[in-house]
Amino acid sequence: MEPSMKEKIMKHSIRLFESKGFSEASIQDIVNTLGVTKGTFYYYFSSKEELLTQIQLNYIDYMLEEQQRIIEQPDRTWKDKLSEVILMTIQAIEDRGSSARIFFRELLHITGDSLDLIKKKRDQFRLNVQSIIEQGMESGEFRDDLPAEMVAFSILGACNWCYTWFKPDGSKSDTEVAAVYTEMFLNGLKL
Amino acid sequence: MEPSMKEKIMKHSIRLFESKGFSEASIQDIVNTLGVTKGTFYYYFSSKEELLTQIQLNYIDYMLEEQQRIIEQPDRTWKDKLSEVILMTIQAIEDRGSSARIFFRELLHITGDSLDLIKKKRDQFRLNVQSIIEQGMESGEFRDDLPAEMVAFSILGACNWCYTWFKPDGSKSDTEVAAVYTEMFLNGLKL
């Protein structure tokens, strides 16, 4: 299926926001890259801020859906689910790395209810990881002498940081990076 | 000792860049918060970009010096040195969190030789962590079946991510967070 005009505007804006910055990229720049008029832009978005909000909601909704799919699988250990969430987070970089990088850079341009909604969804993603860890602690798969909240922050932090350096076409694949990270988090570095 | 005018300009700009964004904060805004003229600004900095570069160099030079001090301590295990670098990175948030957040957000406003220099120094910080891990692997403190480069990325990623959520006045202290992180990285989550 052909992408809709709305999808095209979002896709081209992501590239433009990443290369030029949100403040520097004007609506005129966006419509110029697509060969359409400002009228077309305003048919879909009331402002550049609304476009940025939509880009971020698209990204976080995709991440939450994928995570939910992993969590709901029957007959999997909590260790397996944690390891799949780690892999999913790193795999998303190829398709959605730009959205993630824009998010952290341009967060201060999203305000009010939009910001609250995006923050709530991002918190939900983290709390779901925390819940995997808590349930793994209860089931006896994971040690329960560490605070699950901090463990979730450390794992998600390491994975999210991949957005700053991981190159999908580099010497390590997303699967290899995820395997090393999972092994580190589960069994540690000490001999 | 009283801070110099140059230091004052840097300190106030960090706050302004963090709250308003680098593109949105003008040199006029900066000098207004200090009650000085643009002439004073240009006596110390040729442009807003040069000011941003100086802020980043100050931050990364401080981090490299602290790291070097830790690495050069005699009679410490590699495990101890790794754990001290983790603590130092999280402790730096209180004093220097704004500089770090600005760095990742405003990186695209630094170009050319300045960007190369800052990237080189940041890489050096990461390579020093990698070297601690490699030497710990050689000495038999750490397992040597994981790629040291990936291990360094995962540890630094988790620590750097703290800049996005850690509040120095929150319920967990920097020492507590660092202790949980170190324990995770060394011994893992699995029972």
Side-chain angles (χ1 to χ4, degrees):
Chain A
M1 208 172 70
E2 276 286 291
S4 69
M5 178 53 71
K6 188 176 178 183
E7 285 165 343
K8 277 189 198 166
I9 293 175
M10 289 171 72
K11 200 176 152 191
H12 283 258
S13 307
I14 290 171
R15 276 193 223 141
L16 213 53
F17 291 161
E18 184 165 30
S19 60
K20 276 187 100 163
F22 176 79
S23 303
E24 286 75 7
S26 66
I27 293 176
Q28 192 63 57
D29 291 333
I30 295 168
V31 298
N32 283 351
T33 66
L34 283 159
V36 299
T37 64
K38 279 195 181 183
T40 306
F41 179 93
Y42 284 113
Y43 181 78
Y44 295 104
F45 304 99
S46 64
S47 65
K48 213 167 60 160
E49 286 70 22
E50 202 212 321
L51 166 62
L52 184 60
T53 302
Q54 286 298 320
I55 289 170
Q56 295 309 325
L57 286 175
N58 252 27
Y59 167 65
I60 187 64
D61 284 341
Y62 166 83
M63 298 292 281
L64 281 169
E65 277 165 33
E66 287 292 296
Q67 191 187 45
Q68 207 51 45
R69 192 184 51 70
I70 291 169
I71 290 171
E72 282 169 2
Q73 290 174 110
D75 309 321
R76 305 299 293 260
T77 62
W78 296 109
K79 187 179 89 43
D80 287 341
K81 290 181 184 185
L82 180 63
S83 120
E84 284 188 47
V85 170
I86 291 170
L87 176 59
M88 182 271 278
T89 311
I90 299 178
Q91 274 177 338
I93 297 177
E94 188 153 11
D95 275 354
R96 293 161 195 270
S98 300
S99 297
R101 280 183 290 271
I102 290 170
F103 176 75
F104 294 107
R105 206 171 63 194
E106 311 294 1
L107 188 58
L108 85 167
H109 298 292
I110 301 177
T111 53
D113 291 349
S114 304
L115 182 62
D116 291 344
L117 181 62
I118 289 170
K119 281 196 166 168
K120 207 177 136 194
K121 286 177 184 244
R122 294 197 62 90
D123 284 346
Q124 193 54 54
F125 191 86
R126 174 173 60 80
L127 292 171
N128 291 345
V129 172
Q130 185 177 326
S131 163
I132 292 175
I133 290 158
E134 283 163 348
Q135 292 179 81
M137 286 173 170
E138 277 166 36
S139 75
E141 284 184 64
F142 300 144
R143 56 194 282 195
D144 61 3
D145 62 340
L146 293 174
E149 188 189 18
M150 291 294 111
V151 172
F153 267 125
S154 74
I155 293 176
L156 272 180
C159 294
N160 284 339
W161 198 256
C162 291
Y163 288 79
T164 70
W165 63 268
F166 179 71
K167 300 270 178 295
D169 52 357
S171 66
K172 290 254 183 282
S173 73
D174 45 16
T175 320
E176 286 171 292
V177 174
V180 174
Y181 275 37
T182 303
E183 180 56 30
M184 265 286 288
F185 301 137
L186 290 178
N187 293 313
L189 188 59
K190 230 163 98 179
L191 246 192
Chain B
M1 209 172 69
E2 276 287 291
S4 68
M5 178 53 72
K6 188 176 179 183
E7 285 164 343
K8 277 189 199 166
I9 295 175
M10 288 171 72
K11 200 176 149 191
H12 284 258
S13 308
I14 290 170
R15 273 193 225 144
L16 214 53
F17 291 161
E18 184 165 29
S19 60
K20 276 187 98 163
F22 176 79
S23 304
E24 286 76 7
S26 66
I27 293 176
Q28 192 62 55
D29 291 334
I30 295 167
V31 298
N32 283 352
T33 66
L34 282 159
V36 298
T37 64
K38 279 195 182 182
T40 306
F41 179 92
Y42 285 113
Y43 181 79
Y44 295 104
F45 304 99
S46 63
S47 65
K48 213 168 61 162
E49 286 71 23
E50 202 211 319
L51 166 62
L52 183 60
T53 301
Q54 286 298 320
I55 289 171
Q56 294 310 326
L57 285 175
N58 252 28
Y59 167 65
I60 188 66
D61 284 341
Y62 166 82
M63 297 293 282
L64 282 169
E65 276 164 33
E66 287 293 295
Q67 190 187 47
Q68 206 52 45
R69 193 184 53 70
I70 291 168
I71 290 172
E72 282 169 3
Q73 290 174 110
D75 310 320
R76 305 300 293 261
T77 61
W78 294 109
K79 188 179 86 45
D80 288 340
K81 290 181 184 185
L82 180 63
S83 120
E84 284 189 45
V85 170
I86 291 170
L87 177 60
M88 182 270 278
T89 310
I90 298 178
Q91 274 178 337
I93 297 178
E94 189 153 11
D95 276 353
R96 292 163 196 269
S98 300
S99 297
R101 280 183 289 272
I102 291 170
F103 177 75
F104 295 107
R105 205 172 64 193
E106 311 295 1
L107 188 58
L108 86 168
H109 298 292
I110 300 178
T111 53
D113 291 348
S114 304
L115 181 62
D116 291 344
L117 180 62
I118 290 170
K119 282 196 165 168
K120 207 176 135 194
K121 286 176 184 245
R122 292 196 64 89
D123 284 346
Q124 192 55 55
F125 191 85
R126 175 174 58 80
L127 292 170
N128 290 345
V129 172
Q130 185 176 327
S131 162
I132 291 175
I133 290 158
E134 283 162 349
Q135 291 179 80
M137 285 173 171
E138 276 165 37
S139 75
E141 284 185 64
F142 300 144
R143 57 194 281 195
D144 62 2
D145 61 341
L146 292 175
E149 187 190 20
M150 291 295 111
V151 173
F153 267 124
S154 74
I155 293 175
L156 272 180
C159 294
N160 284 339
W161 198 256
C162 291
Y163 288 80
T164 69
W165 63 268
F166 179 71
K167 301 270 178 294
D169 53 359
S171 66
K172 290 254 184 282
S173 73
D174 46 16
T175 320
E176 285 171 294
V177 175
V180 174
Y181 276 37
T182 302
E183 181 56 29
M184 266 287 287
F185 300 139
L186 290 178
N187 293 314
L189 188 58
K190 230 163 99 180
L191 247 193

